[in-house]
Amino acid sequence: VLGHSLVEMRNELKKAAEEDKKRKEEDDQRNWASQGLAKFSDILRKSSNDLEEFSYEIISELVKYTSANQGGMYIINDTNKQEIFIEMKACYAFDRRKYLERQIQIGEGLVGRCYQEKEKIYLTEIPNDYIKITSGLGDDNPRALLIVPLIYNDVIYGLVELASFKEFPEYMIEFIERVGESIAATISSVKSNIQTTYLLEQSQQQAEEMSAQEEEMRQNMEELRATQEQSARREEELHREVEELRKRLSELTEK
């Protein structure tokens, strides 16, 4: 009986230790996510209207915060509504910035498919040559590949792609999706600001052109008025000369 009680006590202590460890892990995960949300909220608040610099800052911080190895940031280019495509704005790998120019058509590769489906894609079994074909992030074969659409108000503004030699735990994927919504909202605001700035500049340019045209018309009117005044003076002079000639002619006739 004593031995049985000791075994039960040992099992209870082991179970309690495991539950305590699980609670601590969950607390650590929540703290990690909370600190990450605060960190990225601060970054997003300071965002500029330069989408390339904005994209680089986001993807570099996301790669470092999740301990991933590589990352790519894509923005939806919808300048021409008839030819929408996905544009890689920034790429970050192994603590250094990479300069890549890449356009992806809708439905092309995993990134294009993720855009169409508006759902994350998470792979842990990746062929050796797969990453070079679909992500363009590097030559090494990652252990895990995660692509998350950046959605705000049911509109997709971009995508984040992360590759790592370690698998992404579920809490980390959920965190990236939550951050993704904030990133999408910021992209929406930035694109709106860019469009507003463009329209203001265009309006200002048109106003300046109209002002220049008005000034040119004013100068033309002044020149026309001056020409008319000159013509009037010339006409008056001619009239006087004619009268003078008539007078002289009349005097000669009388003589």
Side-chain angles (χ1 to χ4, degrees), residues 106-123:
I106 305 303
E108 178 187 352
L110 285 179
V111 172
R113 197 183 88 195
C114 183
Y115 171 83
Q116 280 186 323
E117 298 176 355
K118 289 186 177 181
E119 293 287 343
K120 72 174 182 291
I121 294 177
Y122 180 49
L123 298 176

Side-chain angles (χ1 to χ4, degrees), residues 70 110 121-147 161-168:
Q70 306 177 75
L110 285 179
I121 294 177
Y122 180 49
L123 298 176
T124 54
E125 295 182 4
I126 307 167
N128 291 329
D129 58 349
Y130 190 73
I131 190 80
K132 291 189 289 186
I133 296 173
T134 59
S135 70
L137 296 178
D139 297 328
D140 294 327
N141 186 41
R143 179 74 179 86
L145 180 69
L146 175 66
I147 305 173
E161 183 179 40
L162 294 173
S164 176
F165 293 121
K166 299 183 294 183
E167 293 188 13
F168 294 99

Side-chain angles (χ1 to χ4, degrees), residues 193-252:
N193 290 341
I194 291 173
Q195 180 67 12
T196 301
T197 302
Y198 170 76
L199 292 175
L200 286 173
E201 289 176 351
Q202 194 176 40
S203 176
Q204 184 177 0
Q205 184 179 356
Q206 290 174 349
E208 290 174 355
E209 290 175 355
M210 288 180 64
S211 178
Q213 289 174 356
E214 289 175 357
E215 178 64 20
E216 185 178 357
M217 288 179 64
R218 187 184 64 79
Q219 291 177 357
N220 291 338
M221 290 294 292
E222 289 180 355
E223 291 174 1
L224 180 61
R225 190 180 299 111
T227 302
Q228 289 174 339
E229 290 175 355
Q230 186 178 9
S231 297
R233 285 195 300 270
R234 182 59 181 161
E235 185 178 353
E236 188 177 346
E237 290 174 359
L238 287 172
H239 181 71
R240 284 198 302 267
E241 290 176 0
V242 169
E243 288 297 323
E244 186 68 27
L245 286 172
R246 283 178 180 173
K247 186 184 293 185
R248 288 181 182 181
L249 182 60
S250 178
E251 290 175 354
L252 289 172

Side-chain angles (χ1 to χ4, degrees), residues 12-245:
E12 289 295 329
L13 289 172
K14 184 179 179 181
K15 183 179 178 181
E18 289 175 351
E19 290 178 351
D20 186 60
K21 181 181 178 181
K22 184 179 179 181
R23 279 195 299 271
K24 187 177 183 306
E25 287 178 352
E26 290 174 349
D27 289 341
D28 291 342
Q29 292 170 7
R30 279 193 292 270
N31 290 335
W32 180 88
S34 297
Q35 291 172 8
L37 290 172
K39 178 185 182 70
F40 280 93
S41 293
D42 187 53
I43 293 173
L44 294 173
R45 268 199 307 272
K46 300 174 182 177
S47 62
S48 67
N49 286 344
D50 188 332
L51 277 176
E52 289 188 3
E53 286 301 319
F54 167 77
S55 299
Y56 170 71
E57 187 171 10
I58 290 298
I59 197 61
S60 60
E61 289 297 330
L62 200 55
V63 167
K64 287 184 281 189
Y65 197 71
T66 59
S67 299
N69 298 98
Q70 306 177 75
M73 179 86 167
Y74 301 86
I75 302 292
I76 307 305
N77 190 321
D78 56 356
T79 304
N80 183 350
K81 301 298 183 182
Q82 304 302 319
E83 296 182 5
I84 298 175
F85 60 91
I86 305 166
E87 186 176 16
M88 175 181 274
K89 282 293 185 181
C91 185
Y92 184 82
F94 298 104
D95 293 329
R96 68 176 56 185
R97 188 171 190 165
K98 301 182 80 175
Y99 292 91
L100 297 175
E101 293 184 3
R102 189 168 181 221
Q103 293 183 3
I104 300 175
Q105 300 304 316
I106 305 303
E108 178 187 352
L110 285 179
V111 172
R113 197 183 88 195
C114 183
Y115 171 83
Q116 280 186 323
E117 298 176 355
K118 289 186 177 181
E119 293 287 343
K120 72 174 182 291
I121 294 177
Y122 180 49
L123 298 176
T124 54
E125 295 182 4
I126 307 167
N128 291 329
D129 58 349
Y130 190 73
I131 190 80
K132 291 189 289 186
I133 296 173
T134 59
S135 70
L137 296 178
D139 297 328
D140 294 327
N141 186 41
R143 179 74 179 86
L145 180 69
L146 175 66
I147 305 173
V148 175
L150 307 176
I151 300 174
Y152 177 67
N153 285 341
D154 204 37
V155 176
I156 180 167
Y157 289 92
L159 304 101
V160 164
E161 183 179 40
L162 294 173
S164 176
F165 293 121
K166 299 183 294 183
E167 293 188 13
F168 294 99
E170 185 61 32
Y171 75 91
M172 192 173 289
I173 295 174
E174 291 177 358
F175 164 76
I176 295 169
E177 288 182 305
R178 288 182 64 187
V179 169
E181 185 175 353
S182 299
I183 296 172
T186 304
I187 294 173
S188 172
S189 177
V190 168
K191 293 181 78 170
S192 178
N193 290 341
I194 291 173
Q195 180 67 12
T196 301
T197 302
Y198 170 76
L199 292 175
L200 286 173
E201 289 176 351
Q202 194 176 40
S203 176
Q204 184 177 0
Q205 184 179 356
Q206 290 174 349
E208 290 174 355
E209 290 175 355
M210 288 180 64
S211 178
Q213 289 174 356
E214 289 175 357
E215 178 64 20
E216 185 178 357
M217 288 179 64
R218 187 184 64 79
Q219 291 177 357
N220 291 338
M221 290 294 292
E222 289 180 355
E223 291 174 1
L224 180 61
R225 190 180 299 111
T227 302
Q228 289 174 339
E229 290 175 355
Q230 186 178 9
S231 297
R233 285 195 300 270
R234 182 59 181 161
E235 185 178 353
E236 188 177 346
E237 290 174 359
L238 287 172
H239 181 71
R240 284 198 302 267
E241 290 176 0
V242 169
E243 288 297 323
E244 186 68 27
L245 286 172

